[in-house]
Amino acid sequence: MDYKQMEQSLKAVSDETRMLILKYLSKEALCICEFTELLDMTQPAISQHMRKLKQAGLICEEKRGRWTIWSLNREHALFAVLTSLLTMLPEPKRTVESLIAEGKKVNCS
Amino acid sequence: MDYKQMEQSLKAVSDETRMLILKYLSKEALCICEFTELLDMTQPAISQHMRKLKQAGLICEEKRGRWTIWSLNREHALFAVLTSLLTMLPEPKRTVESLIAEGKKVNCS
DNA sequence: TGCATACATAAGTAAACACTTATATAATGA
DNA sequence: TCATTATATAAGTGTTTACTTATGTATGCA
């Protein structure tokens, strides 16, 4: 892996919001609208973070009907490193379980 | 480790110049003036990169006479991760050996 | 067919970033 | 003591970043 690639990948990871997104994705695939609830951010803001993560090759998208389902790219050269970083981070306050409890979980699978 | 700390550490790493600095430091402690030769950058530019790495806790400084000798902080929570990242990067073209050959290596130890 | 939903993209903006040049500080040595 | 060396810091500048609001696009459903 060359320096430019490594820089792009690490820059994509080194943002609090995107680290949260990756932390959620390390457990299950999710779509944008769920992240707007989990992170309390606007939809364009989330979309732009996703674009950045995708450009770095860290996540994969799968279009399914109206939804775009995002997941971690397990083939990425930094996947193992990323995983060990994510395990060092605490669980987010807002959980997918709380989304389900509020009936806000989308069944996009 | 919390999200803010992780963000600061990763942001400090995710820059091509600083990755090169860390790559060199993974082999031996060096001072600023050696980096200006190795990286062909101005002294203030290097100093500012060092400050950023130090604020993130990734490197240690040791004043010795006129020189400030910088080394990796092996106690940092991300030291192991950092090491595995650095081993993925190619050797820089300019080497400390070439500095020695040119008589530009400072004996600050 | 027409409207709502899920998402992407564009343009604008404030803040952070990586440099530059200029200058300050502190140690060494003639 | 005075010049040199090694480094830090300050101020200025162009670029990147992370948001905002507005709008475009595509899918699904009544």
Side-chain angles (χ1 to χ4, degrees):
Chain A
M1 171 169 256
D2 68 35
Y3 286 80
K4 273 291 164 207
Q5 280 177 285
M6 179 81 82
E7 181 182 288
Q8 189 193 16
S9 298
L10 292 181
K11 272 193 173 144
V13 177
S14 56
D15 174 87
E16 189 169 1
T17 302
R18 287 192 293 270
M19 292 192 316
L20 271 166
I21 290 172
L22 294 167
K23 180 80 174 172
Y24 283 116
L25 290 184
S26 70
K27 299 204 191 96
E28 63 196 301
L30 291 165
C31 58
I32 305 274
C33 59
E34 288 166 332
F35 280 116
T36 63
E37 291 287 341
L38 289 168
L39 303 174
D40 193 29
M41 290 183 72
T42 63
Q43 172 266 315
I46 302 285
S47 269
Q48 285 159 25
H49 283 302
M50 291 312 198
R51 184 167 51 186
K52 193 144 220 171
L53 289 168
K54 193 200 168 191
Q55 280 170 348
L58 291 163
I59 58 173
C60 308
E61 65 181 328
E62 189 197 339
K63 303 263 181 191
R64 202 173 297 178
R66 290 186 270 191
W67 296 285
T68 306
I69 298 145
W70 297 89
S71 57
L72 287 192
N73 175 16
R74 305 181 68 87
E75 308 303 318
H76 194 283
L78 296 185
F79 177 75
V81 169
L82 179 61
T83 300
S84 71
L85 286 174
L86 293 175
T87 58
M88 299 172 77
L89 294 171
E91 294 303 313
K93 293 157 205 154
R94 203 88 161 79
T95 64
V96 174
E97 286 67 36
S98 69
L99 274 196
I100 296 169
E102 295 167 35
K104 285 178 176 169
K105 178 77 172 69
V106 175
N107 187 11
C108 43
S109 57
Chain B
M1 170 169 256
D2 68 34
Y3 286 80
K4 273 291 164 208
Q5 280 178 285
M6 179 82 82
E7 181 182 287
Q8 190 194 16
S9 299
L10 293 181
K11 272 195 172 140
V13 177
S14 57
D15 173 87
E16 189 170 1
T17 302
R18 288 193 293 269
M19 292 192 314
L20 270 167
I21 289 173
L22 294 167
K23 181 79 175 173
Y24 283 116
L25 291 184
S26 69
K27 299 204 191 95
E28 64 196 300
L30 292 166
C31 58
I32 306 276
C33 59
E34 289 166 331
F35 281 116
T36 63
E37 290 287 340
L38 289 168
L39 304 174
D40 194 27
M41 290 183 72
T42 63
Q43 171 266 315
I46 303 285
S47 270
Q48 285 160 26
H49 282 302
M50 291 312 198
R51 183 167 53 187
K52 193 143 222 173
L53 289 168
K54 192 198 169 191
Q55 280 169 348
L58 292 164
I59 58 174
C60 309
E61 64 182 328
E62 188 198 339
K63 302 263 181 192
R64 200 172 300 176
R66 291 187 268 193
W67 296 285
T68 306
I69 297 146
W70 297 90
S71 57
L72 286 192
N73 175 15
R74 306 179 69 86
E75 308 303 317
H76 194 284
L78 296 185
F79 177 75
V81 169
L82 179 61
T83 300
S84 72
L85 286 174
L86 293 176
T87 58
M88 299 172 77
L89 294 170
E91 294 302 314
K93 292 157 206 155
R94 203 89 161 78
T95 64
V96 175
E97 287 68 36
S98 69
L99 275 196
I100 296 169
E102 295 168 37
K104 286 178 176 167
K105 177 77 172 71
V106 175
N107 188 12
C108 44
S109 58

